Amino acid sequence: MQTRRLTRLAMLAVIALTIFIIELRIPNPFPIPGVKLGLANIVTVYAVYRCRAGETLLILLTRILLGALFAGNIMSLLYSMAGGMLCFVGMLFLRRGIPERRMVLASIAGAVLHNLGQIAAAVLITRTPQVLLYFPILLLTGCLAGTFTGLCVQAAARTGYWGHGSGI
């Protein structure tokens, strides 16, 4: 891998991790586990459309692993990994049918898949099917958060903020 490309991927991972850490410091107005904006996913959606699949996976895994380490919550690693992987795989399929100018749709679907992965992990870890009662709320908040993050990534891609057209 070229040094320039590796540097860009590292920068995207750092941006995602920084956003994740900042978001951790924002008090959650919802008393429901798993409800958050997921702003670090702005970078993931962007990378799905602008990077190779393996590179996007590398950015995502870096953010998830270091995010769990920096947050001091290793248990969240399992939930984030389950949600992140389902979201990643789903968005790889979606990018074939959803054009870049409609990234917001992929972002919404990715947020829903992320929540689905987290719920599945919660059911497996806790062995408590009642956790499924959270899913309708997570579905609604995931759609709202996915819309917001999708609009952010579309705006960033349009402005060229992350090197639009630079071969990332």
Side-chain angles (χ1 to χ4, degrees), residues 71-93:
N73 189 352
I74 298 303
M75 195 62 190
S76 71
L77 176 66
L78 299 172
Y79 297 106
S80 294
M81 193 64 75
M85 291 302 103
L86 190 57
C87 172
F88 169 70
V89 170
M91 284 199 312
L92 283 180
F93 284 111

Side-chain angles (χ1 to χ4, degrees), residues 46 49-50 95 98-104 153-154 157-158 164-165:
Y46 177 84
Y49 278 88
R50 294 296 177 85
R95 81 173 175 188
I98 298 175
E100 189 173 317
R101 69 182 187 280
R102 304 271 190 247
M103 280 190 265
V104 69
V153 75
Q154 279 187 307
R158 268 196 309 273
H164 181 67

Side-chain angles (χ1 to χ4, degrees), residues 55 80 123 140-141 150:
E55 294 169 341
S80 294
V123 169
L140 175 65
T141 59

Side-chain angles (χ1 to χ4, degrees), residues 28-63:
N28 190 350
F30 304 102
I32 300 160
V35 174
K36 60 185 241 178
L37 280 176
L39 297 175
N41 291 322
I42 293 169
V43 176
T44 304
V45 175
Y46 177 84
V48 162
Y49 278 88
R50 294 296 177 85
C51 300
R52 297 180 193 126
E55 294 169 341
T56 302
L57 182 61
L58 186 61
I59 293 166
L60 180 63
L61 290 175
T62 299
R63 195 247 312 151

Side-chain angles (χ1 to χ4, degrees), residues 119-136:
I119 285 288
V123 169
L124 290 172
I125 291 168
T126 65
R127 300 197 192 291
T128 310
Q130 290 83 0
V131 172
L132 291 170
L133 295 173
Y134 285 118
F135 190 64

Side-chain angles (χ1 to χ4, degrees), residues 17 20-21 24 61-73 76:
L17 186 59
F20 174 80
I21 291 170
L24 282 178
L61 290 175
T62 299
R63 195 247 312 151
I64 290 172
L65 293 171
L66 291 177
L69 183 68
F70 291 162
N73 189 352
S76 71

